[in-house]
Amino acid sequence: MTFKPSTPLRFLGGLALTAVILGLVVLRVTSCAPVSKPHATAARPPSVAPAPRAPAPLPPQAPSACNVGPADAARANAGSLKTLVWAPFGRSETGWATYAPLIAREIRTACAPDTPAFAAALAAWTAGQRLPADGVMTPVIFVRLKTVIQLRRPFVRLSGQGVCPDPPPASALSWAAPAEGYGGKLVQLRPGAFAAYRQMVAAARREDPRIAADPRALTLFSGFRDPASDAGRCAREGNCNNVQRATCSAHRTGLAMDLYVGEAPGFPPDSSADANRLYISRTPTYRWLVVNADRFGFVPYPFEPWHWEWTGEAP
């Protein structure tokens, strides 16, 4: 007797076969389907790096200690100190002696720039910056030093973002006392900057008799400058956007000031001539500022030894 599947069995078998085929089709489709990409996350704006910390106060150093270090590097530095032809601020100049006090402060040495100990301190600093650590000053090393010093200026960090801060309203500015202005000049600053300035001047005169003996020392010959009048002046003189005067000047903030720190014979105190800047870099007043101004919240502009900015308020 031959077995013949009944109609119900044939129907159930067909359903099973259909289910298997559908399962294979579904498996095939889902395994080949493209994987959906995750939603892109909006990029966060880069945060502004904080200002580099000022170097710690210098420890006392005996004169004999300045003779310890790489002699070859010291000889190389002694030569380039007066002969290096370069343009650290976009203008050709010879030698780096003008910047030696700031460099010494940054690398934490009180020794002269042509000594072995200066070379040793420079080598230690550059090693921390992943630069050649042979103790020889080069333009590449100075660029790094300049960058570190410049980034302590809040105005520079803002400018790096393409921001030119608005000037403060007239009601937010104060006038210097007549004795505080160089030659009796009228100067305006923000009150907080004035308070810090007065504390700094008092300390300088108390700590260095040579500064106390010169009534002109640390007097103000420029402070707040109205952007409109500043723009008109630089347009008339044709030097709006160089190291001497920028179209967006830090003086618009009421936090930047030009101080009398000396002048070479035949030059005004704010002459950017190399001879004048070199002379100023050797004065007791400037040397005191380099070592002590940060105690009161002031940072320098390396190209102009007379230009200092207070960091106690945002520009």
Side-chain angles (χ1 to χ4, degrees):
M1 179 177 177
T2 304
F3 176 77
K4 293 182 180 180
S6 63
T7 300
L9 287 175
R10 288 198 300 270
F11 177 75
L12 290 174
L15 284 178
L17 180 61
T18 301
V20 171
I21 293 172
L22 286 174
L24 291 173
V25 170
V26 171
L27 179 63
R28 176 66 178 170
V29 170
T30 55
S31 64
C32 292
V35 178
S36 60
K37 296 181 180 180
H39 294 292
T41 303
R44 299 177 65 182
S47 58
V48 180
R53 290 184 179 181
L58 294 173
Q61 287 179 286
S64 59
C66 293
N67 297 323
V68 179
D72 290 344
R75 283 190 289 270
N77 290 337
S80 67
L81 188 65
K82 298 179 181 179
T83 62
L84 177 66
V85 178
W86 61 330
F89 287 90
R91 188 184 81 181
S92 180
E93 54 186 286
T94 302
W96 51 276
T98 297
Y99 309 106
L102 280 178
I103 296 170
R105 175 75 170 101
E106 197 64 38
I107 65 176
R108 302 190 69 244
T109 181
C111 296
D114 58 354
T115 62
F118 182 98
L122 182 63
W125 189 88
T126 54
Q129 299 288 319
R130 298 184 178 181
L131 292 171
D134 56 7
V136 176
M137 173 58 65
T138 66
V140 171
I141 290 173
F142 183 80
V143 167
R144 182 68 59 83
L145 283 159
K146 181 181 76 169
T147 299
V148 170
I149 294 170
Q150 286 278 70
L151 286 177
R152 294 197 183 107
R153 300 169 60 197
F155 180 81
V156 168
R157 299 201 301 278
L158 274 179
S159 299
Q161 302 176 68
V163 176
C164 184
D166 293 329
S171 59
L173 296 169
S174 298
W175 290 98
E180 293 173 324
Y182 175 71
K185 188 173 183 179
L186 299 177
V187 177
Q188 286 182 295
L189 291 170
R190 294 193 204 180
F194 261 134
Y197 160 77
R198 287 163 181 152
Q199 292 174 1
M200 182 174 70
V201 171
R205 291 176 176 165
R206 183 173 61 250
E207 296 170 10
D208 193 323
R210 296 169 297 179
I211 297 175
D214 185 354
R216 300 171 301 171
L218 298 176
T219 52
L220 297 153
F221 60 84
S222 186
F224 170 76
R225 294 204 299 253
D226 177 67
S229 60
D230 216 25
R233 179 185 174 190
C234 71
R236 288 191 303 272
E237 298 180 5
N239 63 346
C240 290
N241 210 17
N242 58 19
V243 293
Q244 293 174 271
R245 187 174 297 114
T247 52
C248 180
S249 167
H251 283 279
R252 68 168 46 220
T253 65
L255 302 172
M257 59 193 74
D258 293 341
L259 306 174
Y260 181 84
V261 287
E263 57 189 320
F267 292 93
D270 62 345
S271 170
S272 63
D274 292 345
N276 188 57
R277 296 189 304 118
L278 177 61
Y279 180 93
I280 290 175
S281 73
R282 294 170 173 169
T283 64
T285 305
Y286 179 69
R287 297 292 178 102
W288 187 93
L289 285 170
V290 167
V291 175
N292 296 285
D294 65 291
R295 290 162 45 193
F296 306 91
F298 288 92
V299 292
Y301 170 38
F303 183 78
E304 296 179 346
W306 54 85
H307 181 105
W308 295 79
E309 296 172 21
W310 188 56
T311 61
E313 294 178 24

